[in-house]
Every structure is written in C-alpha cells, then in structure tokens.
Amino acid sequence: MLGTLDWRPADGRRDLLADPVAAAIGGLPGAEAAEIDPELADTAAFCERYGVPLDASANCVVVAAKRGGEVGYAACMILATDRADVNGVVRKHLGARKVSFAPMADATALTGMEYGGITPVGLPEGWPVLVDEAVAAAPHVVIGSGLRKSKILLPGKALTALPGAEVLALAL
C-alpha cells in the first residue's frame, strides 16, 4: 500500500466519502479509502505526514470556462508535482474564450463536496474530466474523497473510466 495509511475498500467506507462520491464509487473497482486528519488535507501537508510521494498524489482543479456569456465547469486531474496549463490546453480543449479557477463557493456548491477534498468521482453530469496523461499512467494515485477527512487510492487509469473523462497532456 501507499504511505502509512490504513487503506480499505472504498465501497465499504462510505462514511469517509461525500454523498455524490459514495453514490459513484461502486463504478471504480479497486478504489480504497483511508481516514486522515482534516487539518492535513492539503496536498503538501498530507504527503509529508502520511509518507505519500507528491508524484503519487493527484489534485482535482475545478475550472470555470466562459464563452458567449455562458459558463461551464470542468475538472482537471494533475499530479501534485505539476501545474495544469489552464490558459492554454484546457481553454482550447473546452473551446472557451476564458478559463479560470472556479470560485471556492461555486465549486463546493456545485459538486456537493468540501473545498480541499473535491474529486472527479461523482461530479455533476456533463462535466468534462480532463485527466493528465501522467495521472492516467500512474500505477496508483491518491485523490480527494469529497471530504477533507479522507483520501481515495486507485489506479490512475481508473480515472479514465469516469463519465466525461478525457486524457490530455495538461501539464505545463
């Protein structure tokens, strides 16, 4: 297993998952969950405390894409060691005039997840999930659970099976 956490099958630990994540987790075979200190949910602190390498941790960035007065949302999955090319690759792929990080209040209200725990599992229907090719190729990645008090561990390729998932070269 990865790090010092007590990983258990996520489907059996729905108490560690936000409601939309719990509803969708059954579609991800091999997903495991572990409880963490919610004060250590931010990536750097989490990795240091629980012995998880930064390159085995993937962050979910929610972006707001604007075009013609319309706003759409998407999730970008990027390794913690990388930064997503939001203004280049993401903007062009979404066909948007402007892309920015979604405001925290919007991201949490729309996803039903806690800030610092947002994950691509259980996102609203129709949201694109843009998965960086390094995340998709990773044997295992740690992602959010929708709550700050836990994390999910799964094969990177499992993220490519999520509704709306597309693999792209997102890293700068």
Side-chain angles (χ1 to χ4, degrees):
M1 286 286 96
L2 196 56
T4 60
L5 293 162
D6 181 22
W7 297 104
R8 302 290 173 153
D11 203 29
R13 291 301 318 261
R14 291 173 182 256
D15 59 309
L16 296 179
L17 309 173
D19 291 342
V21 179
I25 200 72
L28 291 173
E32 299 189 45
E35 190 166 3
I36 66 166
D37 179 341
E39 296 298 317
L40 299 172
D42 293 334
T43 305
F46 164 77
C47 288
E48 182 179 334
R49 168 61 179 87
Y50 295 105
V52 174
L54 278 172
D55 63 358
S57 185
N59 292 324
C60 182
V61 178
V62 176
V63 296
K66 299 171 185 165
R67 181 175 153 184
E70 298 288 320
V71 178
Y73 294 89
C76 302
M77 290 304 299
I78 190 90
L79 290 178
T81 54
D82 295 330
R83 286 185 31 216
D85 184 1
V86 172
N87 291 309
V89 173
V90 174
R91 183 184 60 76
K92 289 175 187 167
H93 184 77
L94 296 175
R97 180 183 53 76
K98 181 181 178 186
V99 173
S100 57
F101 297 108
M104 177 176 49
D106 293 350
T108 56
L110 293 167
T111 63
M113 301 179 202
E114 295 176 355
Y115 188 74
I118 294 176
T119 186
V121 181
L123 287 175
E125 189 175 326
W127 279 32
V129 177
L130 309 180
V131 181
D132 182 66
E133 58 194 9
V135 174
H140 287 92
V141 289
V142 175
I143 64 173
S145 67
L147 302 174
R148 290 183 62 86
K149 71 177 186 175
S150 56
K151 296 286 186 180
I152 294 173
L153 173 69
L154 45 69
K157 68 180 178 183
L159 295 172
T160 68
L162 292 171
E166 299 176 67
V167 178
L168 299 169
L170 295 178
L172 286 171

